[in-house]
Amino acid sequence: MQDPRHKAGPKGDTATPSLGPETPEPPSPTALRRVGIGIVILLAIALLLEIIVVPLFSTVSGSDRTVIGGKLPSRATTGKPLSITLSVDNTYGPNLIPVCIAVGPATDFAAVTMRIQGGTLIHFQKGIGCGQELIAGETVSLQLTVLPSHPGKLPFFVGAVTRSGQAAGPRSSTMVTVSGR
């Protein structure tokens, strides 16, 4: 028996299907608007979740984000550049864009330059030098050059900070015996 939706051709074979009442009607403009509005609402909800909820779970205390490793100097000479090799480890997760390093205190040590992973030479401004992105879980080498300003037993620190100077992890600190020239 032949399917009623098909018409027989001249030799009794079936031809193309006819467009009978079983063909669905195209959606109405009102239905399309409703679908569009639904998509916009879902996107708005997703955006709100991204802006409001996700930061609640990804915010950590500064001490959990970045760790400075290596040995800080114990001796230096006034006016003679002091080169220090350290490492910076992003222990938490969010990428640090850019990674910034603070050196000080500024009254005792002038931060001059730094290189991250042997890359571009970065000059410090107001005691802070900012370089490349530090990816989550990444450890990079850091070459600092500082200049002791006067003799004495002086406090010295190095720490990762935000561009505004807010701590992004614990500082590494020591006392440095600085001799005169």
Side-chain angles (χ1 to χ4, degrees):
M1 178 169 211
Q2 196 176 29
D3 187 344
R5 290 179 293 172
H6 294 342
K7 295 180 184 175
K11 295 183 180 176
D13 60 342
T14 57
T16 58
S18 68
L19 299 175
E22 295 176 17
T23 304
E25 299 231 0
S28 69
T30 306
L32 289 175
R33 264 187 247 124
R34 285 185 189 148
V35 170
I37 290 171
I39 290 172
V40 168
I41 290 171
L42 285 174
L43 289 173
I45 290 170
L47 182 62
L48 283 174
L49 286 173
E50 177 71 24
I51 292 171
I52 297 170
V53 177
V54 171
L56 294 175
F57 295 105
S58 64
T59 302
V60 295
S61 67
S63 62
D64 293 336
R65 291 194 63 178
T66 312
V67 176
I68 304 289
K71 186 170 177 7
L72 295 177
S74 59
R75 299 194 171 279
T77 303
T78 303
K80 182 179 176 191
L82 179 61
S83 182
I84 307 165
T85 301
L86 301 169
S87 66
V88 181
D89 184 5
N90 183 358
T91 60
Y92 170 62
N95 296 356
L96 298 174
I97 307 170
V99 59
C100 296
I101 303 297
V103 175
T107 55
D108 299 326
F109 293 90
V112 181
T113 61
M114 73 174 183
R115 282 187 197 272
I116 300 174
Q117 291 291 97
T120 305
L121 188 65
I122 299 160
H123 293 274
F124 281 80
Q125 295 177 1
K126 299 181 183 177
I128 297 175
C130 295
Q132 69 205 37
E133 173 181 22
L134 183 58
I135 297 171
E138 180 181 29
T139 301
V140 296
S141 65
L142 177 67
Q143 184 70 41
L144 296 172
T145 303
V146 298
L147 195 60
S149 59
H150 57 88
K153 190 162 180 99
L154 308 174
F156 177 73
F157 72 83
V158 177
V161 296
T162 63
R163 274 188 195 263
S164 63
Q166 183 179 17
R171 288 179 172 178
S172 291
S173 60
T174 190
M175 294 297 288
V176 179
T177 302
V178 180
S179 61
R181 286 186 151 191

